[in-house]
Amino acid sequence: MTDTEHDDDLPQSGEPFDTGPWSTRPDAARCLADAAIEAALTPAVRTRLTGNEAIAIVMRVPGASWVAPIEGAVRRLNDRAHTVARDGSNRTIHRPDAGNGDAARQLAKGEMVIGISALPSILPRALTAAADLTLEIRFDAEILGAAMARFTTSVAPPDAIEGLGALDFDDLVSGFRAGSSPAEIAERLRRSARRLAGQREDRLPNLADAVEYGEAREWGLALASDFERFRKTEIIRNNRSDGLAWSEVGAGANALFGGPPGLGKTYFARILANHLGVPLISASISDIFATSAGYLDSVVKGIREVFAKAEARAPAAVLWDELDALPSRENLNNINSRSSSAASWWTPVIAEFLLQLDSAVAGRRRAVFVWAASNHPHRVDPALLRPGRLDRLIVFRPPGPEGVASILRHHLGTDLPGVDLTAIGQLGVGRSPAEIAAAVSLARRAARGANRALGYDDLVGALAPKPDVDEATLRRIAHHESGHVVTAIALGIDEVVAVDVLGNAGAFGRTLMRRHKGLETRTSIENRTVHQLGGRAAEFVAYGGDCAANCGGDSSSDLAAATAAVTALRISLGLGGGLAYLGSPDEAAVLLRADPKLRAAVDDDLARLHGRAVNIVSRHRSALDAIAAALLERRHLTGDEARKIFAQHPPMSNTPRTRRRLRSGPSDRRD
């Protein structure tokens, strides 16, 4: 008996049609379900399950698509048992307060009752509370091998399949074809996993060699060391290994990967999961909307399914990409002021996510890693980042020279063997891993266009292309970047990492800085703003007040950054003459457009700080021109090289005559 609705005239999942001679052919669904059931049963449990004992059993399956096939496998073992199979598709029936009376009566009559679900919380409460046995129906490479052996009569084990945990039951069945070998089935499943994960068919680097990931790599290696100690024995059943409990491994094992796009946060999750030897289940809130009806219940069910899939495949890792798509509850009041329905809709979604996250990370026998990625970690709900949840924020940054060389070597594969990439690594400093990978592709394209093998110069040309501009424009760009360097070094703010004039990434020049740690003050913020205005100031000095429009124009420009910093002093930080909090730095542009007095005050501040920048580059005109000349010749300077040139060209003496000369220069104040 079962509370699952079936049409008695049709065979159920896992039970093949009888089609005459063809009925002797192995059924893939049955092979998979039976292999998974067998892996979960000890001899003692199998004896109880196939007997007549009045017991309550809860079976947790890898996902909703496994519910019906596992029910079929249970029937084949014991057709007298009463099954309660729930996949969450029926909100009326699939609830813990539904079916309690029936389950209780069956147990009272001396019958066996078996609950089957990916989410035991939706089974009758009377059944889960009275459960004599709880069985985890797992699926991994070993069980896949057993299913293949049943289907093909071959015992050849398959190779590891990255992303196997992302496949649901029907995805797995589709990989089994009549007459296929285990290797052919494995290859189909491998392709399916890649496509579902949106992954290219690429090689993953070894975590130990991936120095470009810095802090993330060190954390991952330490995590892997603990996890290896934990899993030396049968971790799922024993919960301890070599004296290390899962609670000790799990502390600090869940993290948020934050940083700008293109730095390889999602790719790192794949590398780490591969290094740990666990399947990675990737998901995002946008994916759940795209693959469901988009109603509240379907979104909540989608969140539950992701966590259930990870826990059922444990040891496993789940990655929530673009986590900031889940709104912060701190912002719900603002949402509520505009649309109470939006806030009331999101509140249960956020609550469900927190509940499932707590369940996943608190499990003592689950061995589930929970990671998330966000380009805007400051937008993530703080409740997600507290200890016991995603208790570590790992900030991803552009790789240094060694990291650039490591990325180049990985993407070069067998090309340029034995070539030292250390020097060229400097050219890629500040570039994201995605940009570096694209440069290798560009270099290969250039070599193919010339009908020759890839060469070192192709790589240099791709990483450091010469800007397609005339000499006069190139000279102006060099002076602009030199102005940023001179003001930064003169004021002693932050650290100049590199400066170059290269025609890539949508800009012809850039100065890469590394911010010093410490608390911000009005002085430090204004000095940094002077540095941001240093490029424009250099053009102002070198070209008689004739500045290019490139200093402004969009939200990533020097003027935009300077304006945002100065406005924040006045509206957010209490460092601009008043203590009132008027809004967040993100609201600066809106407030400036709405308040003429604020706009005038900020404009005065910017003019004053621009004047300081003009004075600095004027006093250091010799260093300004020398750094610009070096950039014209070499196109790239490291921070150390720039500082050396600066030190070789002392500033003008600070005498009254010099001060009068500087004051008599052209003014940038408006009438």
Side-chain angles (χ1 to χ4, degrees):
M1 299 178 63
T2 174
D3 75 350
T4 305
E5 297 182 3
H6 294 311
D7 186 331
D8 293 334
D9 294 330
L10 295 175
Q12 303 309 313
S13 182
E15 298 179 355
F17 287 96
D18 184 357
T19 56
W22 295 101
S23 62
T24 58
R25 176 177 292 169
D27 176 77
R30 182 168 180 164
C31 291
L32 284 163
D34 288 351
I37 280 280
E38 289 297 332
L41 302 181
T42 63
V45 171
R46 182 184 178 86
T47 299
R48 298 185 72 182
L49 181 61
T50 57
N52 296 316
E53 188 178 357
I55 56 174
I57 302 175
V58 171
M59 290 187 176
R60 184 177 186 136
V61 298
S65 61
W66 283 78
V67 172
I70 292 299
E71 184 185 16
V74 168
R75 287 183 191 168
R76 289 188 287 277
L77 287 172
N78 189 340
D79 60 4
R80 301 177 303 280
H82 177 84
T83 59
V84 183
R86 295 182 174 179
D87 60 11
S89 60
N90 190 321
R91 293 183 63 192
T92 303
I93 299 176
H94 299 174
R95 294 165 27 189
D97 57 354
N100 286 291
D102 187 41
R105 282 191 297 272
Q106 297 296 334
L107 287 170
K109 287 165 55 179
E111 294 194 17
M112 182 183 301
V113 181
I114 302 174
I116 305 167
S117 181
L119 300 165
S121 60
I122 66 175
L123 291 172
R125 190 177 297 111
L127 173 58
T128 55
D132 301 291
L133 291 174
T134 298
L135 299 180
E136 294 288 337
I137 309 300
R138 300 181 296 110
F139 184 75
D140 53 26
E142 182 179 351
I143 296 171
L144 175 61
M148 287 180 177
R150 291 168 180 261
F151 188 78
T152 66
T153 68
S154 170
V155 296
D159 295 332
I161 298 175
E162 184 193 353
L164 180 64
L167 301 178
D168 65 20
F169 189 83
D170 295 325
D171 296 327
L172 294 167
V173 171
S174 68
F176 284 66
R177 312 278 175 81
S180 296
S181 67
E184 290 169 334
I185 295 173
E187 182 55 32
R188 289 192 197 100
L189 296 179
R190 190 174 290 110
R191 288 198 302 266
S192 295
R194 286 171 181 152
R195 288 165 183 162
L196 285 174
Q199 297 170 357
R200 299 183 304 272
E201 299 192 10
D202 50 8
R203 298 172 297 107
L204 289 176
N206 190 322
L207 178 63
D209 299 330
V211 295
E212 61 271 23
Y213 283 108
E215 176 192 356
R217 169 180 169 272
E218 296 301 320
W219 168 77
L221 290 173
L223 177 60
S225 177
D226 279 349
F227 187 54
E228 180 60 27
R229 290 180 58 201
F230 173 76
R231 71 185 306 183
K232 281 182 179 177
T233 58
E234 198 172 36
I235 61 172
I236 297 299
R237 292 190 171 93
N238 295 331
N239 193 41
R240 294 188 69 83
S241 171
D242 196 24
L244 193 63
W246 171 249
S247 58
E248 298 173 80
V249 179
N254 309 298
L256 172 65
F257 306 150
L263 294 183
K265 299 182 290 294
T266 303
Y267 193 58
F268 174 76
R270 291 178 58 201
I271 296 171
L272 179 56
N274 185 60
H275 187 76
L276 293 172
V278 301
L280 177 67
I281 291 93
S282 298
S284 70
I285 296 299
S286 60
D287 283 343
I288 289 177
F289 273 99
T291 57
S292 72
Y295 297 116
L296 178 60
D297 59 341
S298 60
V299 172
V300 168
K301 180 186 174 185
I303 291 172
R304 289 176 179 173
E305 271 287 299
V306 171
F307 282 105
K309 185 180 291 186
E311 293 180 15
R313 286 162 170 74
V318 58
L319 172 70
W320 283 96
D321 205 0
E322 300 175 345
L323 186 63
D324 50 281
L326 193 69
S328 169
R329 288 181 298 179
E330 290 186 349
N331 296 330
L332 284 181
N333 288 335
N334 293 332
I335 294 175
N336 189 51
S337 66
R338 297 191 297 270
S339 170
S340 59
S341 62
S344 62
W345 195 95
W346 275 110
T347 298
V349 174
I350 298 169
E352 181 65 30
F353 191 93
L354 291 170
L355 179 65
Q356 295 299 323
L357 177 61
D358 286 341
S359 175
V361 302
R364 294 295 179 264
R365 300 175 66 84
R366 297 284 180 234
V368 171
F369 302 95
V370 182
W371 307 323
S374 173
N375 297 336
H376 309 283
H378 61 284
R379 298 179 184 172
V380 173
D381 193 319
L384 291 168
L385 303 180
R386 71 165 175 76
R389 287 176 176 160
L390 301 176
D391 42 21
R392 180 163 187 155
L393 171 62
I394 298 178
V395 179
F396 282 59
R397 297 180 174 86
E402 288 185 1
V404 173
S406 173
I407 296 170
L408 288 171
R409 176 52 61 203
H410 173 71
H411 288 288
L412 284 170
T414 57
D415 290 330
L416 302 181
V419 173
D420 185 359
L421 300 174
T422 304
I424 199 174
Q426 287 287 352
L427 292 177
V429 170
R431 307 292 190 247
S432 70
E435 291 171 329
I436 296 167
V440 175
S441 297
L442 188 63
R444 285 199 172 101
R445 189 178 302 121
R448 287 194 302 270
N451 198 27
R452 54 176 168 74
L454 178 69
Y456 184 84
D457 290 342
D458 296 317
L459 208 54
V460 172
L463 269 176
K466 185 176 181 179
D468 186 18
V469 296
D470 57 59
E471 288 299 318
T473 301
L474 189 60
R475 189 176 301 108
R476 180 185 284 270
I477 295 168
H479 270 108
H480 180 103
E481 299 305 328
S482 180
H484 286 307
V485 173
V486 165
T487 50
I489 297 176
L491 290 170
I493 58 158
D494 301 335
E495 177 189 352
V496 178
V497 176
V499 56
D500 50 39
V501 285
L502 307 173
N504 56 6
F508 293 133
R510 65 164 190 167
T511 301
L512 181 65
M513 304 293 295
R514 181 179 294 118
R515 182 166 293 195
H516 291 155
K517 295 181 179 179
L519 295 174
E520 295 280 33
T521 64
R522 175 168 182 160
T523 297
S524 67
I525 293 171
E526 287 198 341
N527 282 347
R528 190 171 292 110
T529 304
V530 170
H531 155 70
Q532 289 163 340
L533 296 171
R536 188 179 192 278
E539 293 186 47
F540 188 82
V541 170
Y543 300 98
D546 183 23
C547 298
N550 296 53
C551 303
D554 61 45
S555 59
S556 63
S557 66
D558 293 340
L559 286 181
T563 301
V566 170
T567 305
L569 288 173
R570 292 185 173 275
I571 69 170
S572 304
L573 305 179
L575 299 175
L579 297 179
Y581 178 85
L582 303 178
S584 70
D586 292 339
E587 299 172 293
V590 175
L591 292 172
L592 283 173
R593 284 192 290 268
D595 189 339
K597 290 184 179 180
L598 175 63
R599 186 164 62 248
V602 169
D603 205 32
D604 285 343
D605 288 339
L606 289 171
R608 172 175 55 83
L609 296 175
H610 186 268
R612 282 184 58 196
V614 168
N615 283 336
I616 291 171
V617 296
S618 296
R619 288 190 62 232
H620 292 273
R621 180 62 187 271
S622 177
L624 179 79
D625 291 340
I627 293 173
L631 283 172
L632 284 171
E633 179 183 355
R634 292 150 59 184
R635 289 190 286 155
H636 174 89
L637 296 174
T638 66
D640 288 339
E641 290 169 336
R643 282 183 286 273
K644 182 177 180 180
I645 296 173
F646 182 89
Q648 292 171 344
H649 295 79
M652 297 171 60
S653 58
N654 191 21
T655 63
R657 180 178 179 181
T658 301
R659 289 195 294 271
R660 284 195 301 272
R661 177 181 171 186
L662 294 177
R663 284 197 298 269
S664 66
S667 174
D668 195 39
R669 296 298 295 255
R670 300 180 197 143
D671 294 332

